[in-house]
Amino acid sequence: MAYEVKIDDQIYRVEVEEDAGAYQIKVGDRVYWVDVAQPQPYFYSLIINGHSYEVDISPQNDQRDILVEGKAFHTEVYDETRKPLLSKKKLEFLEGEQKIVSSMPGKVISILAQPGHQVKKGTGVIVIQAMKMENEIKAPKDGEIKEIRVTEGKTIEAGEVLLVIA
Amino acid sequence: MAYEVKIDDQIYRVEVEEDAGAYQIKVGDRVYWVDVAQPQPYFYSLIINGHSYEVDISPQNDQRDILVEGKAFHTEVYDETRKPLLSKKKLEFLEGEQKIVSSMPGKVISILAQPGHQVKKGTGVIVIQAMKMENEIKAPKDGEIKEIRVTEGKTIEAGEVLLVIA
Amino acid sequence: MFRKVMVANRGEIAVRILRALKEVGIPTLTIYSEADRNSLHVRMAEEAYCIGPPPAEESYLQIKKIISLAKDKGVDGIHPGYGFLAENPVFAQACQEAGINFIGPPAYAIEAMGSKTRSREMMQDAGVPVVPGTTKPVRDEAEIFRLASDLGYPIVLKAVAGGGGKGMRVIKRAAEIKSAFRATQSEAQSAFGDSAIYVEKYLENPRHIEVQILGDKFGNLIHLGERECTIQRRHQKVIEESPSVLVDEEMRRQMGETAIRAARAVGYFSAGTVEFLVDKHKNFYFLEMNTRLQVEHPVTEMVTGIDLVKEMLKVAAGHNLTYRQEDIKFRGAAIECRVYAEDPLNNFFPCPGKILSLRTPGGPGVRDDTGVYPGFEIPIYYDPLISKVITWGRDREEAIHRMARALQEYVINGVKTIIPFLQGVMEDKHFLQGDITTEYIDQKLHRGSLVDAGYFKEVAVLAAALDAYRTEISRGTNSFPKINGLKMVDNPWKMTGRRMLLDSRL
Amino acid sequence: MFRKVMVANRGEIAVRILRALKEVGIPTLTIYSEADRNSLHVRMAEEAYCIGPPPAEESYLQIKKIISLAKDKGVDGIHPGYGFLAENPVFAQACQEAGINFIGPPAYAIEAMGSKTRSREMMQDAGVPVVPGTTKPVRDEAEIFRLASDLGYPIVLKAVAGGGGKGMRVIKRAAEIKSAFRATQSEAQSAFGDSAIYVEKYLENPRHIEVQILGDKFGNLIHLGERECTIQRRHQKVIEESPSVLVDEEMRRQMGETAIRAARAVGYFSAGTVEFLVDKHKNFYFLEMNTRLQVEHPVTEMVTGIDLVKEMLKVAAGHNLTYRQEDIKFRGAAIECRVYAEDPLNNFFPCPGKILSLRTPGGPGVRDDTGVYPGFEIPIYYDPLISKVITWGRDREEAIHRMARALQEYVINGVKTIIPFLQGVMEDKHFLQGDITTEYIDQKLHRGSLVDAGYFKEVAVLAAALDAYRTEISRGTNSFPKINGLKMVDNPWKMTGRRMLLDSRL
């Protein structure tokens, strides 16, 4: 089966094939024979050409947070047979307009930018109070604030869209 | 629902009722209100009248090995509605004739008693080699050896009956 | 010593105190909010009672409810941990009035040190050097402006009732005064219920070094050496060590004696910490006193061999200190890493959630002080500090290498944590050389190192697809495909592949 | 130091050695049998290669395969751990011939000490006291009978190639000689491939005390104090401590010097242990030398602060010892409990199986040296030792209380372990008083205490039924019943019950 895996804004085509108890996995044109053990849910022990890796996976729909020997990676995985290819266009769209979503419940303390403002990557845009701390939501890239969807003092849920930047 | 729980050769009748998120559990005529949390499989946190207990359960069919605050208990649980009551007679039978079963694979090194022998509780009857150690299987009670079902040098499986004592 | 002790806290510190109580054989009782039914401290205590709804104000800060429960259940001692009621003199007083032993310092010492302005005044009187600035709260922006002109920029605004890095703002230019004043006041009000603010000269790139002290009710006071707490993030400590690379034996003696003088000035007993800022000329200034057990107390325990919680229990029960100053011997070096449930790749944003799996580090010289377990759902209501790892080594180098090893073993899957960030610090040459300031995290650490993991990225890509594949298969068959089973294969290149794999297995 | 080191072992000791290698930054490689694909050491090593089928003879003992793999993969050092090839002089020699550093003592020292009779002879020559008995193997029962008449009963038969408590039988009466001789010979043959047997006077109720030594290739030898290993079961150690309650400073010095003399007599370097039997008059006799890292080495590490595995690496690489005798300072007391997968309620019968869940102990003074993890299936082919817990305290009392606390936290669910038994020992007054002999487990420990757990039994009964109930419910609905959900109830007595429950929550 073939998948597209997005990591750090790069996309890899990955083919997985099971073979007599082992896995043949192609990443682009590189072929790996992978000895797989999964003694616990969310955990794999992989041996690839004699090299042993501990891999922990936290899945959420198509998203997978992955720890390889404790190093953190964020991936998105799409099944080629089920989903259309992630076209270059779609990627550009993702890069073009971005919705900033709250990752956890909290309260909006203050809003530091308004629609129409040009902001630099890293500029603080909204301050959220969560887990007893004030946290600044920063612009993920240079761009223009298209929309601010929350107001100061508002209680927000995880997953709620805070603003749109383009 | 009502259960019979066997522990240390005693049998308790236990009623479990769920009530608005809490449990009422009767052991004999003692009533407990139990606040139950089960954050992981095989593990319960119970709060009974303010007292907090960590309980780990290893189930195997009707058998349950239980750790309460790390102390080990072996129980058997029967559902009253599904199984006939554990009659007093059945218990006596269990106490009367007992099959000694190997708990793990190994090899019979030597047999120390023969059918017809009278043995005391704790007398060594069969020596098994398992996990690099020689282990003496001892008589669980005073009684007569009825049958020896293995021979010296034989490789045995877990669960295999070794001998019958009565 | 005590009939029964209540631990009036949650998380890792509640667990740590429960452990000490178990070791000395004192029955334990704890409290929990409705959000904490599944918390580890509830499981570990012998008795546990729900004290109210999730917000701390309605549960962990409910003085009357807590005291009434304690009396009701035969509790004769309460350990407050850190945070919550630990530095609340009203609570300490209420315990005393209820005939319950507060396992901490006297209420008047808490109160005196709780006001940053008052404590600065008292320390000046006791001959303890303090950072230049006001000893009275400021009234308005204009006053701050005048003070800044005298002291010179940068200055720092601090909540009078503050502590622990909360309620403070650095001001580098006059233009920042207005918004900083407002923000600090509002944070002070919401965090401490008191909006009063004072001003200090902001020492640039100072070291943040603190001294652990211990005293009994008979006026015996000793110090247990220093802790280096310079590495901070948002003015909160992240990594602490003992000893400090900066402090030699003579400086340790001087700082220790100064700390004891500070403690004696407020009639202190129990465990406490005197925090100093140290400038580049190794001058040290009193910053504040923490009148409680510190988060970072384990590093001191590891180099001295002294169990601070047990000493607190003894002192509270009216015993003499077990140790005299000359009994305190330092061995090796210890380092602590705080593990926060925060995303280091996303500006350290807090990440509560459910822990899917957890592997804690072990082996020689590693101490695991955790407040969580696999299956635990980190509540959103409290501090994102979920555990601490402490390592000991014969010297700083061994302690750091051991920490790097321990962090590699430490896996918390399901929530994001700062473990990858901490790993980066342990490998950073500035940190290894001891070349650190409070700005270290922002200035020095090469953030890229968090994701620059070479071949591991390829493994992550491969594993993501593998997991997707196996998840699909298992959805179809409701069980994982057998991976050790033998299956005939007829495709010759597959056979070759399998043979290659077997070859690599020897 | 090394380019790449192979750990030629499995289980907790492989994990412990991998940890040391990671801390000093040496790339790691390990081997595994087909039964060990899922073992922890395979996960932790950077490289791992399957070396053969499950039986040790076909995998972990395959000298040629191991050496060939090592050469193939660029390995320049092999640490053998304990057991398997650790005390095999042929392997040590084979490493040397292949140009690979054997991280352990020289082959000739292993060989000399491997023969119990030859080592007894050498020790006598070196002026080291030995237990009365033969220095040559016995030929037949008649010879044993004559020897027993000279020495007086009881005597003990021991395998010449033996060690670690295997291959030995105590004989109390002449009538036992015949069967004991046969049994010991056959065990010696199957365990060591050598049926030769010798005879010693059996000291009744002796203490079993050993001295850790450390030497480099330049003839420097030091000792790191003693370990008390008296508590045994089937002649195998279960609980070890350092220091021994019996040994004072003068006796430590004498035993240490004797141990060094013993080591010097065989040109020893690396870590090694000289075992002594101590009679009631505190006379000590050489028993054997273990020419390897011991299972119980962590207690020495905890009281001295020295990492023995790292010292072994340094010495093997040709470095000088880091320490001189005067650098060795002892602090506090440490105790180790070995956790075996055995059923203490059923005559310590081994219990392999799958670990359903695992909670390892943490907090101050606790070291967890494990070889397993949740989800791991303990193979039936190897030793049932699955982990070790080591605690440190400022004195023996604190170390023991800490161990009791740690064992209470330590839960291995799914396989039976001796943890409940170890808990019983920690609470036993004889043990607390240090009143122990090698017969302690059989003679002194009140077995009943293992199950006499009062109210816990009622909780077990209640929990068994609760779990049966919830299992049934979840089978019906495919999910656990919501226990925190709110539901209207109309039955008045139920309301009362619920109110009672809420009351008890405050």
Side-chain angles (χ1 to χ4, degrees), chain D residues 14 50 54 139 151 159 163 165 179 201 239 241 254 265 270 306 319 337 361 372-373 385 388 398 414 456 494:
Chain D
C50 184
R139 279 172 305 268
L151 295 166
S179 71
K201 171 77 184 151
I239 296 170
E241 319 174 39
Q254 282 179 23
S270 193
I306 294 169
H319 295 255
C337 283
V372 298
Y373 60 87
L385 177 68
K388 305 181 306 205
E398 187 177 52
F456 287 172
K494 283 192 179 177

Tab-separated table of all heavy atoms in Angstrom, chain D residues 14 50 54 139 151 159 163 165 179 201 239 241 254 265 270 306 319 337 361 372-373 385 388 398 414 456 494:
chain	number	residue	atom	x	y	z
D	14	ALA	N	22.282	-6.423	30.834
D	14	ALA	CA	22.575	-5.845	29.521
D	14	ALA	C	22.111	-4.388	29.507
D	14	ALA	O	22.822	-3.496	29.026
D	14	ALA	CB	21.885	-6.640	28.417
D	50	CYS	N	20.366	-10.777	15.754
D	50	CYS	CA	19.887	-12.077	16.229
D	50	CYS	C	21.009	-13.092	16.035
D	50	CYS	O	21.626	-13.157	14.968
D	50	CYS	CB	18.653	-12.490	15.441
D	50	CYS	SG	17.936	-14.023	16.050
D	54	PRO	N	16.439	-19.855	20.738
D	54	PRO	CA	16.290	-19.523	22.167
D	54	PRO	C	17.285	-20.168	23.138
D	54	PRO	O	17.830	-19.453	23.988
D	54	PRO	CB	14.858	-19.960	22.478
D	54	PRO	CG	14.135	-19.814	21.180
D	54	PRO	CD	15.128	-20.196	20.122
D	139	ARG	N	36.589	-38.681	44.200
D	139	ARG	CA	36.384	-39.690	43.164
D	139	ARG	C	35.081	-40.460	43.352
D	139	ARG	O	34.400	-40.777	42.406
D	139	ARG	CB	37.562	-40.677	43.163
D	139	ARG	CG	38.793	-40.169	42.420
D	139	ARG	CD	39.969	-41.103	42.623
D	139	ARG	NE	40.253	-41.313	44.044
D	139	ARG	CZ	41.123	-40.569	44.759
D	139	ARG	NH1	41.776	-39.589	44.175
D	139	ARG	NH2	41.321	-40.812	46.030
D	151	LEU	N	36.156	-34.235	58.770
D	151	LEU	CA	35.685	-32.853	58.932
D	151	LEU	C	34.540	-32.744	59.933
D	151	LEU	O	34.367	-31.726	60.593
D	151	LEU	CB	35.216	-32.288	57.584
D	151	LEU	CG	36.279	-32.104	56.487
D	151	LEU	CD1	35.612	-31.863	55.128
D	151	LEU	CD2	37.212	-30.942	56.820
D	159	ALA	N	30.330	-28.301	43.056
D	159	ALA	CA	30.883	-28.499	41.720
D	159	ALA	C	32.190	-27.720	41.618
D	159	ALA	O	32.246	-26.552	41.988
D	159	ALA	CB	29.900	-27.995	40.675
D	163	GLY	N	29.560	-22.208	40.985
D	163	GLY	CA	29.538	-20.814	41.401
D	163	GLY	C	28.105	-20.326	41.440
D	163	GLY	O	27.208	-20.973	40.895
D	165	GLY	N	25.999	-20.392	43.676
D	165	GLY	CA	25.037	-21.194	44.434
D	165	GLY	C	24.503	-22.401	43.677
D	165	GLY	O	23.725	-23.184	44.205
D	179	SER	N	22.768	-40.175	47.368
D	179	SER	CA	21.890	-39.428	46.462
D	179	SER	C	22.428	-38.021	46.204
D	179	SER	O	22.326	-37.495	45.098
D	179	SER	CB	20.459	-39.369	47.014
D	179	SER	OG	20.413	-38.511	48.130
D	201	LYS	N	33.915	-28.511	54.582
D	201	LYS	CA	33.186	-28.444	55.846
D	201	LYS	C	32.059	-27.454	55.643
D	201	LYS	O	32.258	-26.379	55.051
D	201	LYS	CB	34.146	-27.960	56.940
D	201	LYS	CG	33.498	-27.622	58.273
D	201	LYS	CD	33.144	-28.864	59.059
D	201	LYS	CE	32.401	-28.506	60.349
D	201	LYS	NZ	31.484	-29.592	60.740
D	239	ILE	N	18.650	-10.892	48.711
D	239	ILE	CA	18.746	-9.540	49.257
D	239	ILE	C	20.199	-9.291	49.646
D	239	ILE	O	20.811	-10.130	50.308
D	239	ILE	CB	17.836	-9.394	50.503
D	239	ILE	CG1	16.371	-9.562	50.090
D	239	ILE	CG2	18.046	-8.036	51.186
D	239	ILE	CD1	15.416	-9.670	51.258
D	241	GLU	N	23.177	-6.223	50.985
D	241	GLU	CA	23.334	-4.895	51.562
D	241	GLU	C	24.800	-4.499	51.624
D	241	GLU	O	25.680	-5.340	51.633
D	241	GLU	CB	22.866	-4.854	53.027
D	241	GLU	CG	21.637	-5.574	53.380
D	241	GLU	CD	21.422	-5.544	54.891
D	241	GLU	OE1	21.692	-4.492	55.524
D	241	GLU	OE2	21.023	-6.566	55.452
D	254	GLN	N	40.629	-5.468	57.222
D	254	GLN	CA	41.240	-6.805	57.117
D	254	GLN	C	40.679	-7.602	55.955
D	254	GLN	O	41.418	-8.215	55.187
D	254	GLN	CB	40.992	-7.586	58.412
D	254	GLN	CG	41.903	-7.170	59.554
D	254	GLN	CD	41.587	-7.962	60.833
D	254	GLN	OE1	41.036	-9.053	60.766
D	254	GLN	NE2	41.927	-7.390	61.976
D	265	ALA	N	47.081	-12.501	43.785
D	265	ALA	CA	47.646	-13.844	43.573
D	265	ALA	C	47.338	-14.389	42.185
D	265	ALA	O	48.039	-15.264	41.681
D	265	ALA	CB	47.115	-14.810	44.648
D	270	SER	N	40.317	-5.298	36.494
D	270	SER	CA	38.868	-5.108	36.271
D	270	SER	C	38.122	-5.267	37.606
D	270	SER	O	38.751	-5.318	38.666
D	270	SER	CB	38.329	-6.086	35.230
D	270	SER	OG	37.027	-5.697	34.824
D	306	ILE	N	30.646	5.242	43.089
D	306	ILE	CA	31.477	4.843	41.948
D	306	ILE	C	30.680	3.990	40.969
D	306	ILE	O	29.957	3.092	41.375
D	306	ILE	CB	32.713	4.052	42.452
D	306	ILE	CG1	33.598	4.997	43.259
D	306	ILE	CG2	33.469	3.410	41.293
D	306	ILE	CD1	34.693	4.300	44.024
D	319	HIS	N	43.433	2.403	30.822
D	319	HIS	CA	43.602	3.569	31.696
D	319	HIS	C	43.942	3.127	33.113
D	319	HIS	O	43.687	1.993	33.507
D	319	HIS	CB	42.320	4.399	31.737
D	319	HIS	CG	41.970	5.008	30.415
D	319	HIS	ND1	42.136	6.337	30.135
D	319	HIS	CD2	41.462	4.451	29.283
D	319	HIS	CE1	41.748	6.570	28.889
D	319	HIS	NE2	41.324	5.456	28.352
D	337	CYS	N	17.056	-5.606	46.468
D	337	CYS	CA	16.144	-6.745	46.410
D	337	CYS	C	16.087	-7.224	44.975
D	337	CYS	O	15.863	-6.444	44.057
D	337	CYS	CB	14.740	-6.337	46.856
D	337	CYS	SG	14.578	-6.189	48.634
D	361	PRO	N	9.065	1.724	41.054
D	361	PRO	CA	9.150	2.692	42.143
D	361	PRO	C	10.074	3.846	41.787
D	361	PRO	O	10.959	3.707	40.953
D	361	PRO	CB	9.731	1.872	43.291
D	361	PRO	CG	10.477	0.762	42.650
D	361	PRO	CD	9.823	0.488	41.339
D	372	VAL	N	12.691	-5.424	32.117
D	372	VAL	CA	11.384	-5.707	31.514
D	372	VAL	C	10.566	-4.430	31.367
D	372	VAL	O	10.973	-3.362	31.827
D	372	VAL	CB	10.597	-6.739	32.355
D	372	VAL	CG1	11.347	-8.058	32.410
D	372	VAL	CG2	10.322	-6.213	33.764
D	373	TYR	N	9.418	-4.558	30.733
D	373	TYR	CA	8.535	-3.404	30.515
D	373	TYR	C	7.117	-3.929	30.314
D	373	TYR	O	6.931	-5.128	30.061
D	373	TYR	CB	9.025	-2.608	29.297
D	373	TYR	CG	9.033	-3.408	28.020
D	373	TYR	CD1	7.893	-3.498	27.218
D	373	TYR	CD2	10.157	-4.125	27.624
D	373	TYR	CE1	7.894	-4.262	26.069
D	373	TYR	CE2	10.152	-4.895	26.465
D	373	TYR	CZ	9.018	-4.957	25.693
D	373	TYR	OH	9.007	-5.727	24.564
D	385	LEU	N	15.188	-13.890	37.017
D	385	LEU	CA	15.468	-12.565	37.583
D	385	LEU	C	15.038	-11.510	36.567
D	385	LEU	O	15.617	-11.411	35.489
D	385	LEU	CB	16.973	-12.419	37.869
D	385	LEU	CG	17.414	-11.052	38.405
D	385	LEU	CD1	16.884	-10.812	39.808
D	385	LEU	CD2	18.936	-10.933	38.404
D	388	LYS	N	15.822	-5.499	39.555
D	388	LYS	CA	16.359	-5.296	40.896
D	388	LYS	C	15.916	-3.916	41.361
D	388	LYS	O	15.827	-2.993	40.561
D	388	LYS	CB	17.890	-5.338	40.872
D	388	LYS	CG	18.455	-6.603	40.262
D	388	LYS	CD	19.972	-6.659	40.251
D	388	LYS	CE	20.617	-5.472	39.598
D	388	LYS	NZ	21.980	-5.784	39.060
D	398	GLU	N	16.950	3.623	57.451
D	398	GLU	CA	16.295	4.404	56.399
D	398	GLU	C	16.276	3.637	55.073
D	398	GLU	O	15.282	3.664	54.346
D	398	GLU	CB	16.972	5.774	56.206
D	398	GLU	CG	16.189	6.653	55.219
D	398	GLU	CD	16.758	8.062	55.031
D	398	GLU	OE1	17.959	8.198	54.752
D	398	GLU	OE2	15.987	9.029	55.155
D	414	GLY	N	0.353	-9.493	36.071
D	414	GLY	CA	0.320	-10.416	34.948
D	414	GLY	C	1.202	-11.634	35.183
D	414	GLY	O	0.874	-12.728	34.738
D	456	PHE	N	-7.299	-5.947	53.442
D	456	PHE	CA	-7.004	-6.018	52.011
D	456	PHE	C	-7.705	-7.210	51.353
D	456	PHE	O	-8.053	-7.173	50.182
D	456	PHE	CB	-5.495	-6.125	51.769
D	456	PHE	CG	-4.739	-4.854	52.027
D	456	PHE	CD1	-3.347	-4.843	52.000
D	456	PHE	CD2	-5.397	-3.658	52.266
D	456	PHE	CE1	-2.639	-3.674	52.212
D	456	PHE	CE2	-4.697	-2.477	52.483
D	456	PHE	CZ	-3.315	-2.482	52.467
D	494	LYS	N	-31.432	4.296	47.200
D	494	LYS	CA	-30.250	4.552	46.392
D	494	LYS	C	-29.773	5.982	46.579
D	494	LYS	O	-28.587	6.254	46.651
D	494	LYS	CB	-30.560	4.310	44.919
D	494	LYS	CG	-30.594	2.848	44.546
D	494	LYS	CD	-30.606	2.693	43.048
D	494	LYS	CE	-30.621	1.221	42.665
D	494	LYS	NZ	-30.717	1.069	41.208
